[in-house]
Amino acid sequence: MAGTEIFGTEEIRAVTDVIERRMIHRYGSHHLRNGIYRVEEFENRAKKITGSRYALGVANGTAALIVALKGIGIQPGDEIITTPFSFIATVEAIVACNAVPVLGEIDGTLGLDADSVERLISGRTRAIMPVHMFGAAADMDRFTDLGKKYNLPVIEDACEVVGGTYKGRYLGSLGTCGTWSFDPNKTLTVGEGGIVLTDSEDVYFKMDCYHDHGHIHSKEHDRGAEGKSGLGVNYRLSEVQGALGIVALEKMLSALGMLRAAKKKILKAALDAGLKPRPVHDEEGDTASHVVFILPTAEKAKRFKAAANHAGGSFGIIADNTWHYAKHWKALEEMGEKDYFGNRTPSYSPASMAKSDAMLSCAVMAGLNTCMDDSAVEKMIEAVRAGAQAALQR
């Protein structure tokens, strides 16, 4: 699903323009720019597409999560409820703010289970962070309801689903903040980069200052002459990345249509073979970056994987995925049950994730390339059929 598959001469021209103008930095040098600000233009296009009031380009998806947490005022020892099934950056961003990750359960969609979140809400809870995984949305109706009920911000980790929607609205635009990632494995890539979306002027102002050393940005003053609003870090996006993003954003939306069509063919063949696709909250909004099947047992998932991959597939069992499943994160486990900035962390042992483990052990998945021709789709279908026959017809 790498976005570089759709790179072409448009990206080369966009980058060349930035280099020829020698205007790499997104801020300052206003008298030399002729009104051209590529990162700002990228942000404006993201706002127009998603309907968000504000968009802030940052260095990567992890930075986007950290900036969002800082923007809502997370303090050391605060608790953030999230999922054990996510890329590790979700938890790393929480820990980078000296906050405490509290892991809920997953539901049948493999997304964060809203009921488990409600049971975990305490006097120390400061935010809920659902994660939209492998192309599909979490149950945002439930999470926005919980946010309102308990007066808690909802941060959407939408880094894995850029371009995905939920009931007609873009993922990342439904919570207090939402984050996108543009790393080399994403459908939209600028090499490294991210965006934070929000409708809150106050949250945006705090994020904007924090991501650039506390600067209060203004085109009325050149770089260094602006005011300051506290301390911050350097998570800026460069003009080169902004220029790439402008082109890639439009091309990605077109590519998603083709990818969704390819996935529909694969899922039809899977259903005909008796397989159960992962249920989703909004099928039309899926970015189709992955296919996920739920087998009746863990043993049948293993049989499916072996046969499908022998037939040319590239399936894995999600419970074995060391990048996306907290059971495998030894550093997190070692952080458990310790005093932490006036709080005490919960257990992060594998035993604490038993319910999620049972579900993920029955789930097999394969990534889809951004551009799939008919032969690639047919190859995937053959692998799926072989896997289904081995797993189900015994």
Side-chain angles (χ1 to χ4, degrees):
M1 63 172 183
T4 53
E5 294 176 46
I6 57 176
F7 273 13
T9 55
E10 300 92 340
E11 285 82 2
I12 294 171
R13 287 196 296 268
V15 172
T16 300
D17 169 70
V18 174
I19 294 171
E20 287 180 342
R21 288 186 294 106
R22 293 174 172 79
M23 202 54 61
I24 305 297
H25 201 291
R26 75 159 295 179
Y27 295 116
S29 302
H30 306 300
H31 63 293
L32 299 174
R33 307 177 74 104
N34 295 320
I36 299 173
Y37 298 83
R38 293 306 188 202
V39 175
E40 184 177 323
E41 187 177 346
F42 182 31
E43 293 166 340
N44 287 338
R45 293 198 184 191
K47 287 190 291 184
K48 183 177 181 180
I49 287 168
T50 63
S52 300
R53 289 184 64 196
Y54 302 98
L56 177 67
V58 293
N60 50 63
T62 308
L65 289 166
I66 294 170
V67 168
L69 289 167
K70 292 291 187 179
I72 65 170
I74 294 302
Q75 299 295 316
D78 287 349
E79 293 181 357
I80 314 294
I81 303 175
T82 190
T83 172
F85 176 41
S86 178
F87 183 54
I88 196 170
T90 305
V91 163
E92 288 175 328
I94 295 169
V95 174
C97 295
N98 295 322
V100 177
V102 177
L103 303 183
E105 299 285 0
I106 60 174
D107 62 21
T109 70
L110 309 185
L112 181 60
D113 179 65
D115 289 334
S116 76
V117 169
E118 187 162 23
R119 290 191 295 270
L120 290 168
I121 292 173
S122 73
R124 292 183 176 271
T125 305
R126 294 293 179 267
I128 303 169
M129 189 184 287
V131 182
H132 309 302
M133 281 297 293
F134 290 175
D139 189 354
M140 285 306 298
D141 284 343
R142 288 293 312 281
F143 290 119
T144 52
D145 286 347
L146 285 176
K148 292 174 183 176
K149 181 177 179 179
Y150 293 97
N151 194 28
L152 291 170
V154 176
I155 297 180
E156 291 179 79
D157 183 340
C159 289
E160 301 254 0
V161 291
V162 178
T165 58
Y166 179 83
K167 300 182 179 180
R169 295 182 61 187
Y170 276 90
L171 296 171
S173 70
L174 287 86
T176 310
C177 299
T179 61
W180 286 359
S181 172
F182 312 129
D183 76 24
N185 292 315
K186 299 300 190 293
T187 311
L188 192 168
T189 184
V190 300
E192 291 287 355
I195 270 183
V196 193
L197 303 168
T198 187
D199 286 338
S200 169
E201 182 178 5
D202 179 63
V203 171
Y204 172 76
F205 176 78
K206 291 175 181 175
M207 294 192 303
D208 186 41
C209 294
Y210 178 78
H211 100 291
D212 182 26
H213 303 295
H215 285 281
I216 299 174
H217 298 112
S218 169
K219 292 177 183 174
E220 301 300 316
H221 305 282
D222 216 336
R223 184 72 176 166
E226 316 104 324
K228 292 271 285 184
S229 177
L231 301 175
V233 292
N234 176 6
Y235 287 150
R236 294 186 303 268
L237 200 62
S238 77
E239 289 288 273
V240 170
Q241 293 161 308
L244 278 174
I246 293 165
V247 176
L249 184 54
E250 305 299 333
K251 294 173 75 173
M252 179 270 296
L253 293 174
S254 175
L256 284 182
M258 295 183 289
L259 190 52
R260 285 170 175 144
K263 183 175 179 179
K264 284 184 178 179
K265 292 180 182 178
I266 296 167
L267 290 186
K268 182 180 184 303
L271 286 167
D272 292 344
L275 287 170
K276 177 185 176 183
R278 167 183 58 166
V280 294
H281 294 291
D282 184 348
E283 185 175 351
E284 293 304 313
D286 192 324
T287 61
S289 57
H290 296 75
V291 288
V292 181
F293 303 115
I294 310 298
L295 277 296
T297 66
E299 180 56 37
K300 289 183 177 181
K302 292 177 183 177
R303 293 209 301 262
F304 176 94
K305 173 189 170 183
N309 290 353
H310 182 73
S314 56
F315 282 88
I317 295 172
I318 295 180
D320 297 335
N321 188 320
T322 58
W323 276 29
H324 294 96
Y325 181 23
K327 170 186 174 181
H328 302 288
W329 304 340
K330 191 67 176 176
L332 178 63
E333 183 179 355
E334 292 172 351
M335 181 181 154
E337 300 181 291
K338 289 183 172 60
D339 292 331
Y340 194 76
F341 292 96
N343 200 348
R344 187 166 180 81
T345 58
S347 171
Y348 304 114
S349 68
S352 71
M353 307 173 201
K355 180 180 176 182
S356 296
D357 197 64
M359 293 186 186
L360 295 176
S361 294
C362 296
V364 295
M365 74 87 184
L368 301 181
N369 292 330
T370 304
C371 301
M372 295 187 70
D373 58 20
D374 290 343
S375 63
V377 172
E378 187 55 41
K379 181 179 179 181
M380 177 67 78
I381 289 173
E382 291 174 2
V384 166
R385 287 173 175 156
Q389 183 175 18
L392 302 179
Q393 296 183 14
R394 288 191 182 185

